[in-house]
Amino acid sequence: MSVTASFDLLLRGGRVIDPAAGIDGIKDVAIRNGKIAAVQSDILPTSAKEVVDVSGKLVLPGMIDTHAHVYQYVSGRFGMQPDMVGVQSGVTTLIDQGGPSCMTLPGFRHFIAEPAKSRVYAFLSAYLVGGLEGHFYPNLYSPDGVDIEATTKSAIANRDLVRGIKAHAEIGGFARWGIRVMEMAAEIGKRAELPVYVHFGQLWGLPESGNNGEDVDTILERVIPLLKEGDVLAHPFTRHPGGFVNREGVVHPVIQAAIDRGLKIDVGHGSHFSYRLAKKAIAAGIVPNTLGADIHGYNTEVPAPAGTPDEHEDDENHPFKGQAKFSLVQAMSSMISLGLTLEQVVPMVTSNPAKMIGLSDKIGSLKVGMDADVSVLVEKPGRYVLRDNENTDVIANGLLQPAFCLREGVRFEPIAPILPQAVAA
């Protein structure tokens, strides 16, 4: 490309890490008409209308949060304001996990996805009620609340927005209905030819009759055979029974076999994250493919909509208890503090999630011609305390924080009130 070409914006001198393009080095990124126009060394500053010095910063493809809850108001206190979780937190793409259903998807499109400045997709709930405050009303999520035909039809007709199916495999539901709901969700995924994202780890309390013969440590081995290549196992590091680490503290042997046949793993950080168990899983070679923040109104500090419960009836032990503020960028710092490298973590929020939802040609890279979705991060040196929802602390030797992001070339500052403050060790 001619050095005399006119660019709208030049991000100059940052460390560009673009796994999809095989780039990791000091580069300049030029943008024209909201598209990536060039990624190369030493682009002349005079060739751009605006130059931003990003030396000393990380320049990544616009980050993708694989586990968002942004059906604001409709999903009660779960639903966050999309741009607060998205562009105001340095994240350009959100994948809502199970907020809309086949009945409520038109509202999600019109009131959430279309007006948001962030790019928004959805994994359609397998349940007719979608992502309501189901931890209060588990019976809404019975087999009677699943319509395979209607959900499949909705997913196929809205392929531009719907990129997968959300389901749950946990002891509270299994004790009530067995594996039937999970079988139905897997069938929707197969018919719609979309990935199924499966929540593991206890979500609902047991019914009064107890576990009804269900064994929490057998759920994984019973569910995985239902799934197909590309389906996603979520919350591997959950502290709740039914995750990747069994009650004996051992990583379930079926996990590696699942990975070998093409199933994927998403962190789903949020309230389902234990540093203690994550260390065990990572030591056993379980490295997630993608990293979702799983922020919602029960695990961060946002005002509750009028009329919603102020607190869970079991506030000390409910499944959503967690630290008050976190973000996708801080979740990246969590993974690095557990021993993964920056180079391992960046694909989890860029190229891998783009591949997970079948949009590698559109997002997750800084290739010339793609929309100029860019996340710029600061690596803050020092020692910082990170805390999980078991109140276990780890010390991060450095902390990632968002500097700003571009969405189709438009700049957004990291002003979200949910962003955590760095806590020095």
Side-chain angles (χ1 to χ4, degrees), residues 4 56 103 132 247 284 322 384:
T4 61
M103 296 196 300
L132 303 184
R247 287 170 295 184
Y384 300 93

Side-chain angles (χ1 to χ4, degrees), residues 318-342:
H318 76 78
F320 304 118
K321 177 179 168 60
Q323 65 186 62
K325 291 187 177 185
F326 62 100
S327 67
L328 182 62
V329 176
Q330 182 145 328
M332 295 170 69
S333 294
S334 287
M335 301 309 296
I336 294 169
S337 73
L338 289 167
L340 300 182
T341 65
L342 176 67

